[in-house]
Short mmCIF file of all heavy atoms in Angstrom, two decimals:
data_model
loop_
_atom_site.label_atom_id
_atom_site.label_comp_id
_atom_site.label_asym_id
_atom_site.label_seq_id
_atom_site.Cartn_x
_atom_site.Cartn_y
_atom_site.Cartn_z
N GLY A 1 -73.42 -187.12 -3.04
CA GLY A 1 -74.38 -187.28 -1.96
C GLY A 1 -73.76 -187.08 -0.60
O GLY A 1 -74.03 -187.83 0.34
N GLY A 2 -72.88 -186.05 -0.48
CA GLY A 2 -72.24 -185.80 0.79
C GLY A 2 -71.24 -186.87 1.19
O GLY A 2 -70.91 -187.04 2.36
N GLY A 3 -70.75 -187.63 0.22
CA GLY A 3 -69.77 -188.67 0.48
C GLY A 3 -70.38 -190.02 0.79
O GLY A 3 -69.65 -191.01 0.97
N THR A 4 -71.71 -190.10 0.86
CA THR A 4 -72.36 -191.36 1.19
C THR A 4 -72.62 -192.22 -0.04
O THR A 4 -72.92 -193.41 0.09
CB THR A 4 -73.70 -191.11 1.91
OG1 THR A 4 -74.56 -190.37 1.02
CG2 THR A 4 -73.48 -190.32 3.19
N LEU A 5 -72.50 -191.64 -1.24
CA LEU A 5 -72.75 -192.36 -2.48
C LEU A 5 -71.51 -192.31 -3.35
O LEU A 5 -70.67 -191.40 -3.21
CB LEU A 5 -73.94 -191.76 -3.23
CG LEU A 5 -75.27 -191.69 -2.49
CD1 LEU A 5 -76.29 -190.93 -3.32
CD2 LEU A 5 -75.78 -193.07 -2.14
N PHE A 6 -71.38 -193.27 -4.27
CA PHE A 6 -70.29 -193.25 -5.23
C PHE A 6 -70.87 -193.53 -6.62
O PHE A 6 -71.59 -194.52 -6.82
CB PHE A 6 -69.22 -194.29 -4.91
CG PHE A 6 -67.92 -194.03 -5.61
CD1 PHE A 6 -66.96 -193.23 -5.03
CD2 PHE A 6 -67.67 -194.56 -6.87
CE1 PHE A 6 -65.75 -192.97 -5.67
CE2 PHE A 6 -66.49 -194.31 -7.53
CZ PHE A 6 -65.52 -193.51 -6.93
N PHE A 7 -70.56 -192.65 -7.55
CA PHE A 7 -71.11 -192.74 -8.91
C PHE A 7 -70.06 -193.32 -9.86
O PHE A 7 -68.89 -192.93 -9.83
CB PHE A 7 -71.54 -191.36 -9.41
CG PHE A 7 -72.74 -190.82 -8.69
CD1 PHE A 7 -72.60 -190.12 -7.50
CD2 PHE A 7 -74.01 -191.01 -9.20
CE1 PHE A 7 -73.70 -189.61 -6.83
CE2 PHE A 7 -75.13 -190.51 -8.54
CZ PHE A 7 -74.97 -189.82 -7.34
N LYS A 8 -70.51 -194.24 -10.72
CA LYS A 8 -69.66 -194.86 -11.73
C LYS A 8 -70.38 -194.82 -13.07
O LYS A 8 -71.61 -194.79 -13.12
CB LYS A 8 -69.36 -196.32 -11.38
CG LYS A 8 -68.71 -196.54 -10.02
CD LYS A 8 -68.56 -198.02 -9.76
CE LYS A 8 -67.97 -198.28 -8.38
NZ LYS A 8 -67.81 -199.75 -8.13
N SER A 9 -69.60 -194.89 -14.14
CA SER A 9 -70.16 -194.95 -15.49
C SER A 9 -69.72 -196.22 -16.19
O SER A 9 -68.52 -196.45 -16.36
CB SER A 9 -69.72 -193.74 -16.33
OG SER A 9 -70.31 -192.55 -15.85
N ASP A 10 -70.68 -197.06 -16.58
CA ASP A 10 -70.41 -198.19 -17.46
C ASP A 10 -70.60 -197.71 -18.89
O ASP A 10 -71.60 -197.06 -19.21
CB ASP A 10 -71.36 -199.35 -17.18
CG ASP A 10 -71.11 -200.00 -15.83
OD1 ASP A 10 -70.12 -199.64 -15.16
OD2 ASP A 10 -71.93 -200.85 -15.43
N VAL A 11 -69.65 -198.02 -19.76
CA VAL A 11 -69.67 -197.53 -21.14
C VAL A 11 -69.67 -198.71 -22.11
O VAL A 11 -68.87 -199.64 -21.97
CB VAL A 11 -68.46 -196.62 -21.42
CG1 VAL A 11 -68.38 -196.26 -22.91
CG2 VAL A 11 -68.55 -195.35 -20.58
N THR A 12 -70.57 -198.66 -23.08
CA THR A 12 -70.62 -199.63 -24.17
C THR A 12 -70.15 -198.95 -25.46
O THR A 12 -70.63 -197.86 -25.80
CB THR A 12 -72.02 -200.19 -24.37
OG1 THR A 12 -72.42 -200.91 -23.20
CG2 THR A 12 -72.08 -201.13 -25.57
N LEU A 13 -69.22 -199.60 -26.16
CA LEU A 13 -68.73 -199.10 -27.44
C LEU A 13 -68.92 -200.18 -28.49
O LEU A 13 -68.84 -201.38 -28.19
CB LEU A 13 -67.25 -198.74 -27.34
CG LEU A 13 -66.88 -197.64 -26.35
CD1 LEU A 13 -65.38 -197.54 -26.19
CD2 LEU A 13 -67.46 -196.30 -26.80
N VAL A 14 -69.15 -199.77 -29.73
CA VAL A 14 -69.30 -200.72 -30.83
C VAL A 14 -68.60 -200.19 -32.07
O VAL A 14 -68.62 -198.98 -32.34
CB VAL A 14 -70.80 -201.01 -31.13
CG1 VAL A 14 -71.54 -199.75 -31.49
CG2 VAL A 14 -70.94 -202.06 -32.21
N ASN A 15 -67.93 -201.08 -32.77
CA ASN A 15 -67.26 -200.76 -34.03
C ASN A 15 -67.98 -201.52 -35.14
O ASN A 15 -67.89 -202.75 -35.22
CB ASN A 15 -65.79 -201.17 -33.96
CG ASN A 15 -65.09 -201.06 -35.31
OD1 ASN A 15 -65.50 -200.31 -36.18
ND2 ASN A 15 -64.00 -201.80 -35.47
N TYR A 16 -68.69 -200.81 -36.00
CA TYR A 16 -69.45 -201.44 -37.09
C TYR A 16 -68.60 -201.75 -38.31
O TYR A 16 -69.08 -202.35 -39.26
CB TYR A 16 -70.62 -200.56 -37.49
CG TYR A 16 -71.70 -200.45 -36.44
CD1 TYR A 16 -72.01 -199.24 -35.86
CD2 TYR A 16 -72.40 -201.58 -36.02
CE1 TYR A 16 -73.00 -199.14 -34.88
CE2 TYR A 16 -73.38 -201.49 -35.04
CZ TYR A 16 -73.67 -200.26 -34.49
OH TYR A 16 -74.64 -200.17 -33.52
N ARG A 17 -67.36 -201.34 -38.29
CA ARG A 17 -66.48 -201.56 -39.42
C ARG A 17 -66.02 -203.01 -39.47
O ARG A 17 -66.01 -203.70 -38.43
CB ARG A 17 -65.27 -200.63 -39.28
CG ARG A 17 -64.50 -200.37 -40.54
CD ARG A 17 -63.46 -199.30 -40.27
NE ARG A 17 -62.69 -198.98 -41.47
CZ ARG A 17 -61.71 -198.09 -41.48
NH1 ARG A 17 -61.39 -197.45 -40.36
NH2 ARG A 17 -61.05 -197.85 -42.58
N ASP A 18 -65.62 -203.48 -40.63
CA ASP A 18 -65.17 -204.88 -40.75
C ASP A 18 -63.68 -205.03 -40.52
O ASP A 18 -63.10 -206.08 -40.79
CB ASP A 18 -65.57 -205.47 -42.10
CG ASP A 18 -65.00 -204.69 -43.27
OD1 ASP A 18 -64.23 -203.73 -43.04
OD2 ASP A 18 -65.33 -205.03 -44.43
N THR A 19 -63.03 -203.98 -40.02
CA THR A 19 -61.63 -204.03 -39.61
C THR A 19 -61.50 -203.37 -38.24
O THR A 19 -62.34 -202.53 -37.87
CB THR A 19 -60.71 -203.31 -40.60
OG1 THR A 19 -61.13 -201.94 -40.73
CG2 THR A 19 -60.74 -203.98 -41.97
N PRO A 20 -60.47 -203.69 -37.46
CA PRO A 20 -60.29 -203.04 -36.16
C PRO A 20 -60.17 -201.52 -36.32
O PRO A 20 -59.70 -201.03 -37.36
CB PRO A 20 -58.99 -203.66 -35.63
CG PRO A 20 -58.90 -204.99 -36.32
CD PRO A 20 -59.47 -204.76 -37.70
N GLN A 21 -60.57 -200.80 -35.29
CA GLN A 21 -60.60 -199.34 -35.37
C GLN A 21 -59.83 -198.74 -34.20
O GLN A 21 -60.15 -198.95 -33.03
CB GLN A 21 -62.05 -198.84 -35.32
CG GLN A 21 -62.19 -197.33 -35.38
CD GLN A 21 -61.74 -196.79 -36.73
OE1 GLN A 21 -62.33 -197.10 -37.75
NE2 GLN A 21 -60.69 -195.98 -36.72
N GLN A 22 -58.79 -197.96 -34.51
CA GLN A 22 -58.08 -197.21 -33.47
C GLN A 22 -58.92 -196.00 -33.07
O GLN A 22 -59.48 -195.31 -33.93
CB GLN A 22 -56.72 -196.73 -33.99
CG GLN A 22 -55.67 -197.82 -34.10
CD GLN A 22 -54.35 -197.24 -34.54
OE1 GLN A 22 -54.24 -196.69 -35.65
NE2 GLN A 22 -53.34 -197.35 -33.69
N VAL A 23 -58.97 -195.74 -31.77
CA VAL A 23 -59.77 -194.62 -31.26
C VAL A 23 -58.97 -193.93 -30.15
O VAL A 23 -58.44 -194.59 -29.25
CB VAL A 23 -61.11 -195.11 -30.69
CG1 VAL A 23 -61.91 -193.93 -30.12
CG2 VAL A 23 -61.92 -195.83 -31.77
N VAL A 24 -58.88 -192.61 -30.23
CA VAL A 24 -58.39 -191.83 -29.11
C VAL A 24 -59.57 -191.49 -28.21
O VAL A 24 -60.61 -191.01 -28.68
CB VAL A 24 -57.69 -190.54 -29.59
CG1 VAL A 24 -57.61 -189.50 -28.46
CG2 VAL A 24 -56.29 -190.85 -30.07
N VAL A 25 -59.42 -191.76 -26.92
CA VAL A 25 -60.46 -191.47 -25.94
C VAL A 25 -59.97 -190.34 -25.04
O VAL A 25 -58.90 -190.44 -24.43
CB VAL A 25 -60.77 -192.71 -25.07
CG1 VAL A 25 -61.93 -192.41 -24.13
CG2 VAL A 25 -61.05 -193.92 -25.94
N GLY A 26 -60.75 -189.27 -24.97
CA GLY A 26 -60.40 -188.14 -24.12
C GLY A 26 -61.38 -187.98 -22.98
O GLY A 26 -62.58 -188.21 -23.15
N PHE A 27 -60.89 -187.61 -21.81
CA PHE A 27 -61.74 -187.30 -20.65
C PHE A 27 -61.56 -185.83 -20.33
O PHE A 27 -60.51 -185.40 -19.88
CB PHE A 27 -61.35 -188.16 -19.46
CG PHE A 27 -62.21 -187.93 -18.24
CD1 PHE A 27 -63.55 -188.29 -18.24
CD2 PHE A 27 -61.66 -187.37 -17.09
CE1 PHE A 27 -64.34 -188.07 -17.11
CE2 PHE A 27 -62.46 -187.16 -15.95
CZ PHE A 27 -63.78 -187.51 -15.97
N TRP A 28 -62.62 -185.05 -20.61
CA TRP A 28 -62.57 -183.61 -20.38
C TRP A 28 -63.16 -183.30 -19.01
O TRP A 28 -64.38 -183.21 -18.85
CB TRP A 28 -63.34 -182.87 -21.48
CG TRP A 28 -62.73 -183.03 -22.84
CD1 TRP A 28 -61.52 -183.58 -23.14
CD2 TRP A 28 -63.29 -182.62 -24.08
NE1 TRP A 28 -61.30 -183.55 -24.49
CE2 TRP A 28 -62.36 -182.96 -25.10
CE3 TRP A 28 -64.48 -182.01 -24.44
CZ2 TRP A 28 -62.60 -182.69 -26.45
CZ3 TRP A 28 -64.73 -181.75 -25.78
CH2 TRP A 28 -63.80 -182.08 -26.78
N SER A 29 -62.31 -183.15 -18.02
CA SER A 29 -62.76 -182.94 -16.65
C SER A 29 -63.58 -181.66 -16.53
O SER A 29 -63.30 -180.65 -17.19
CB SER A 29 -61.57 -182.87 -15.69
OG SER A 29 -60.86 -184.07 -15.69
N GLN A 30 -64.56 -181.71 -15.67
CA GLN A 30 -65.45 -180.58 -15.45
C GLN A 30 -64.66 -179.32 -15.12
O GLN A 30 -63.81 -179.31 -14.23
CB GLN A 30 -66.42 -180.90 -14.32
CG GLN A 30 -67.35 -179.76 -13.97
CD GLN A 30 -68.31 -180.11 -12.85
OE1 GLN A 30 -69.47 -179.75 -12.91
NE2 GLN A 30 -67.83 -180.81 -11.83
N GLY A 31 -64.95 -178.25 -15.89
CA GLY A 31 -64.41 -176.94 -15.57
C GLY A 31 -63.00 -176.67 -16.05
O GLY A 31 -62.45 -175.61 -15.78
N THR A 32 -62.38 -177.61 -16.78
CA THR A 32 -61.01 -177.41 -17.23
C THR A 32 -60.93 -177.38 -18.74
O THR A 32 -61.80 -177.86 -19.43
CB THR A 32 -60.09 -178.53 -16.71
OG1 THR A 32 -60.51 -179.78 -17.27
CG2 THR A 32 -60.12 -178.62 -15.20
N THR A 33 -59.84 -176.79 -19.25
CA THR A 33 -59.53 -176.85 -20.67
C THR A 33 -58.64 -178.05 -20.90
O THR A 33 -57.59 -178.17 -20.28
CB THR A 33 -58.83 -175.57 -21.14
OG1 THR A 33 -59.70 -174.45 -20.93
CG2 THR A 33 -58.47 -175.65 -22.62
N ASN A 34 -59.01 -178.93 -21.82
CA ASN A 34 -58.37 -180.24 -21.93
C ASN A 34 -57.64 -180.46 -23.25
O ASN A 34 -57.31 -181.58 -23.60
CB ASN A 34 -59.42 -181.33 -21.75
CG ASN A 34 -60.09 -181.23 -20.39
OD1 ASN A 34 -59.51 -181.61 -19.39
ND2 ASN A 34 -61.29 -180.69 -20.37
N THR A 35 -57.38 -179.39 -23.99
CA THR A 35 -56.84 -179.53 -25.33
C THR A 35 -55.54 -180.33 -25.37
O THR A 35 -55.40 -181.28 -26.13
CB THR A 35 -56.58 -178.14 -25.95
OG1 THR A 35 -57.71 -177.32 -25.74
CG2 THR A 35 -56.28 -178.25 -27.43
N LEU A 36 -54.55 -179.96 -24.57
CA LEU A 36 -53.22 -180.55 -24.66
C LEU A 36 -52.81 -181.31 -23.42
O LEU A 36 -51.63 -181.63 -23.26
CB LEU A 36 -52.19 -179.44 -24.96
CG LEU A 36 -52.41 -178.69 -26.28
CD1 LEU A 36 -51.39 -177.56 -26.43
CD2 LEU A 36 -52.30 -179.64 -27.46
N ASN A 37 -53.74 -181.59 -22.54
CA ASN A 37 -53.43 -182.34 -21.33
C ASN A 37 -53.35 -183.83 -21.67
O ASN A 37 -54.34 -184.53 -21.72
CB ASN A 37 -54.49 -182.10 -20.26
CG ASN A 37 -54.20 -182.84 -18.98
OD1 ASN A 37 -53.16 -183.50 -18.84
ND2 ASN A 37 -55.11 -182.75 -18.03
N LEU A 38 -52.12 -184.32 -21.91
CA LEU A 38 -51.96 -185.69 -22.39
C LEU A 38 -52.49 -186.72 -21.41
O LEU A 38 -52.90 -187.82 -21.81
CB LEU A 38 -50.48 -185.97 -22.68
CG LEU A 38 -49.92 -185.34 -23.96
CD1 LEU A 38 -48.45 -185.70 -24.12
CD2 LEU A 38 -50.71 -185.77 -25.18
N ALA A 39 -52.48 -186.39 -20.12
CA ALA A 39 -52.99 -187.34 -19.13
C ALA A 39 -54.48 -187.59 -19.32
O ALA A 39 -55.02 -188.56 -18.78
CB ALA A 39 -52.72 -186.80 -17.72
N SER A 40 -55.16 -186.73 -20.10
CA SER A 40 -56.60 -186.87 -20.31
C SER A 40 -56.94 -187.77 -21.49
O SER A 40 -58.13 -187.97 -21.76
CB SER A 40 -57.22 -185.48 -20.54
OG SER A 40 -57.03 -184.64 -19.43
N TYR A 41 -55.93 -188.30 -22.19
CA TYR A 41 -56.19 -189.05 -23.42
C TYR A 41 -55.53 -190.43 -23.38
O TYR A 41 -54.42 -190.60 -22.86
CB TYR A 41 -55.67 -188.28 -24.63
CG TYR A 41 -56.37 -186.97 -24.86
CD1 TYR A 41 -55.91 -185.81 -24.27
CD2 TYR A 41 -57.52 -186.89 -25.66
CE1 TYR A 41 -56.56 -184.60 -24.46
CE2 TYR A 41 -58.17 -185.69 -25.86
CZ TYR A 41 -57.69 -184.55 -25.25
OH TYR A 41 -58.33 -183.36 -25.45
N LYS A 42 -56.23 -191.42 -23.94
CA LYS A 42 -55.71 -192.76 -24.13
C LYS A 42 -56.08 -193.23 -25.54
O LYS A 42 -56.98 -192.69 -26.18
CB LYS A 42 -56.31 -193.74 -23.11
CG LYS A 42 -56.00 -193.42 -21.66
CD LYS A 42 -54.56 -193.72 -21.30
CE LYS A 42 -54.32 -193.53 -19.81
NZ LYS A 42 -52.91 -193.78 -19.44
N SER A 43 -55.38 -194.26 -26.00
CA SER A 43 -55.69 -194.87 -27.29
C SER A 43 -56.12 -196.31 -27.07
O SER A 43 -55.57 -197.01 -26.21
CB SER A 43 -54.47 -194.83 -28.21
OG SER A 43 -54.74 -195.48 -29.44
N VAL A 44 -57.10 -196.77 -27.85
CA VAL A 44 -57.57 -198.14 -27.76
C VAL A 44 -57.96 -198.60 -29.17
O VAL A 44 -58.35 -197.79 -30.01
CB VAL A 44 -58.77 -198.27 -26.79
CG1 VAL A 44 -59.99 -197.51 -27.33
CG2 VAL A 44 -59.11 -199.72 -26.52
N THR A 45 -57.82 -199.89 -29.42
CA THR A 45 -58.26 -200.46 -30.69
C THR A 45 -59.52 -201.29 -30.45
O THR A 45 -59.50 -202.25 -29.68
CB THR A 45 -57.17 -201.35 -31.32
OG1 THR A 45 -56.01 -200.55 -31.57
CG2 THR A 45 -57.67 -201.95 -32.62
N LEU A 46 -60.61 -200.89 -31.10
CA LEU A 46 -61.87 -201.62 -30.98
C LEU A 46 -61.91 -202.74 -32.01
O LEU A 46 -61.64 -202.51 -33.19
CB LEU A 46 -63.06 -200.68 -31.20
CG LEU A 46 -63.20 -199.51 -30.23
CD1 LEU A 46 -64.41 -198.66 -30.60
CD2 LEU A 46 -63.29 -199.98 -28.80
N PRO A 47 -62.24 -203.96 -31.61
CA PRO A 47 -62.29 -205.08 -32.56
C PRO A 47 -63.40 -204.88 -33.59
O PRO A 47 -64.40 -204.20 -33.32
CB PRO A 47 -62.56 -206.30 -31.67
CG PRO A 47 -63.17 -205.74 -30.43
CD PRO A 47 -62.58 -204.38 -30.24
N SER A 48 -63.22 -205.47 -34.74
CA SER A 48 -64.18 -205.28 -35.83
C SER A 48 -65.51 -205.96 -35.53
O SER A 48 -65.55 -207.07 -34.99
CB SER A 48 -63.60 -205.84 -37.14
OG SER A 48 -63.41 -207.24 -37.04
#
């Protein structure tokens, strides 16, 4: 909005499994190829 607004994303995740679940999370920035950009990826364990 011309710098007058700031956009954020709240994210809800759920693990339906009865054990914790490891997940790789990738952020594919607009207009780029993100295959091997390690800075674009994190790992997290979702509780069961």
